[in-house]
Amino acid sequence: SQLFRLTTNGRSRLYCVLVMNEILQGVSATTGHIYEYHTTEAYQLFLLNTGSNLGHIFIRQETLSDKVAQLFGNIDIDFKDHPRFSRKYFTLAETPEDEALFRQNVSRRLLDAVSNHDDLRIEIKNDKMIVMTGKSINAEDTMMLAETAFGI
């Protein structure tokens, strides 16, 4: 993997990481032959300093299964003042203390930036945040992810 520093602005640092994943796959054809080949997939993620302690939080796109599971108990962190974010994303805190920190310190700007996009995956640990998508990168996704990370 390669690490590129994009910007430094006071306490806030934003890094772009390109992760290359090489996969060896074997495919058995009907003739019994085994074919092996290598493919390389590139994933991109942004690492940034949030400037405040947000606890240990996981954010990903909400699924139908999540909505059904909430009928039996609510573990998702929802925000009454930000229904769009709450509807689109499943937010989970490691501990009740982490949920309290997140609710107290999360900015409206972060919730807005995330809710403007689909399929982001975010992990926050105290004041460090990783933002990525769940698919291989292309130029359009790279620009979208960079704009989102800069918006936070």
Side-chain angles (χ1 to χ4, degrees):
S1 67
Q2 303 171 16
L3 178 67
F4 304 96
R5 189 172 96 202
L6 295 182
T7 184
T8 301
N9 183 8
R11 295 182 332 173
S12 177
R13 293 200 163 123
L14 177 65
Y15 296 89
C16 172
V17 179
L18 180 64
V19 179
M20 302 299 287
N21 185 18
E22 190 171 300
I23 302 168
L24 175 65
Q25 297 178 334
V27 178
S28 186
T30 56
T31 61
H33 294 97
I34 296 176
Y35 300 95
E36 294 182 350
Y37 58 94
H38 292 271
T39 61
T40 300
E41 296 177 351
Y43 295 90
Q44 180 173 312
L45 55 97
F46 285 88
L47 306 170
L48 59 135
N49 185 329
T50 64
S52 60
N53 186 356
L54 298 175
H56 195 181
I57 303 294
F58 302 92
I59 301 171
R60 63 171 169 75
Q61 191 170 14
E62 192 158 10
T63 65
L64 181 59
S65 297
D66 296 326
K67 293 180 188 305
V68 171
Q70 287 181 21
L71 296 173
F72 301 99
N74 193 12
I75 60 169
D76 181 23
I77 301 171
D78 285 324
F79 294 90
K80 291 179 185 174
D81 61 337
H82 210 299
R84 184 170 180 223
F85 174 85
S86 297
R87 201 172 37 252
K88 289 179 76 171
Y89 281 94
F90 181 84
T91 306
L92 180 66
E94 183 80 10
T95 66
E97 294 79 17
D98 290 327
E99 179 178 350
L101 276 171
F102 188 67
R103 287 186 180 280
Q104 178 183 351
N105 296 326
V106 69
S107 69
R108 175 85 183 187
R109 191 170 103 186
L110 185 146
L111 298 177
D112 287 342
V114 171
S115 65
N116 286 333
H117 301 285
D118 294 323
D119 197 29
L120 290 180
R121 296 175 186 186
I122 299 171
E123 182 174 354
I124 302 167
K125 182 126 188 201
N126 302 324
D127 65 346
K128 305 293 186 269
M129 181 185 301
I130 298 173
V131 180
M132 64 182 290
T133 63
K135 56 187 173 183
S136 294
I137 63 167
N138 58 41
E140 182 180 318
D141 293 336
T142 299
M143 291 306 299
M144 178 277 301
L145 198 54
E147 289 170 5
T148 300
F150 278 112
I152 296 171

